[in-house]
Amino acid sequence: MAAKKIDLLEIVQKIINLDSKMRFAAIIDSKGNIREAIMKTGKTNLKSQKEEEHFCKQVAQRRAMRREFDRSLGKVRYVHVEREKVSQMVVYAKRNIIYFTMEPEMPINTKIRLITKIKKLTVGL
């Protein structure tokens, strides 16, 4: 029997709905192609479509670069970049990358809770 196809749209919708301060969620393949992405209704995108695609390619390249230190430092659990206008988070699943953004003023403990929930939602990816 074939494995049940994972509904990526459903997963990104669940991620976006985890918190009212979430802005954007995407599932990216190992080459940096966006497999599925959602911008939260009512939020304006801070990057153009072209910039978003370029950024996602770079996220995948950085994952490959970080692997260099997996043996000595252990695997990356998540990446958190705090910018003036947005908080950016990256979680590495087995074959895919989960990239999501949120409003910057969110407390760090809330962000950690979201990362934990997102890791559980994306464990099969």
Side-chain angles (χ1 to χ4, degrees), residues 98-113:
I98 295 78
Y99 164 60
F100 54 102
T101 65
M102 58 196 81
E103 299 299 336
E105 68 278 358
M106 190 185 288
I108 190 71
N109 57 331
T110 306
K111 291 177 183 175
I112 300 296
R113 244 192 330 272

Side-chain angles (χ1 to χ4, degrees), residues 1-123:
M1 194 174 121
K4 184 180 155 287
K5 190 179 180 300
I6 298 167
D7 188 344
L8 299 180
L9 181 61
E10 189 182 317
I11 293 170
V12 289
Q13 283 171 329
K14 283 179 181 172
I15 292 170
I16 273 289
N17 292 329
L18 285 173
D19 194 278
S20 61
K21 287 187 165 48
M22 294 294 273
R23 294 181 57 87
F24 177 79
I27 296 171
I28 305 165
D29 71 15
S30 60
K31 291 179 180 72
N33 301 306
I34 299 169
R35 296 186 65 198
E36 195 62 73
I38 294 179
M39 172 61 69
K40 189 151 202 165
T41 312
K43 301 284 183 189
T44 52
N45 201 337
L46 299 173
K47 297 192 288 294
S48 70
Q49 181 72 30
K50 204 170 175 65
E51 286 175 319
E52 200 71 73
E53 287 167 7
H54 179 65
F55 185 86
C56 289
K57 291 251 186 277
Q58 288 190 341
V59 167
Q61 288 169 349
R62 285 192 287 271
R63 179 181 192 170
M65 287 167 32
R66 287 187 177 105
R67 280 202 177 115
E68 193 182 330
F69 300 102
D70 282 2
R71 193 185 275 132
S72 57
L73 301 175
K75 288 183 179 164
V76 173
R77 291 190 173 149
Y78 68 91
V79 179
H80 175 193
V81 176
E82 192 67 28
R83 295 182 178 269
E84 290 173 351
K85 297 180 181 178
V86 69
S87 290
Q88 298 172 302
M89 302 285 210
V90 177
V91 174
Y92 299 145
K94 272 191 180 75
R95 291 174 301 281
N96 293 279
I97 301 164
I98 295 78
Y99 164 60
F100 54 102
T101 65
M102 58 196 81
E103 299 299 336
E105 68 278 358
M106 190 185 288
I108 190 71
N109 57 331
T110 306
K111 291 177 183 175
I112 300 296
R113 244 192 330 272
L114 286 169
I115 288 165
T116 304
K117 287 177 182 175
I118 290 166
K119 281 183 165 195
K120 285 184 180 130
L121 278 174
T122 58
V123 76

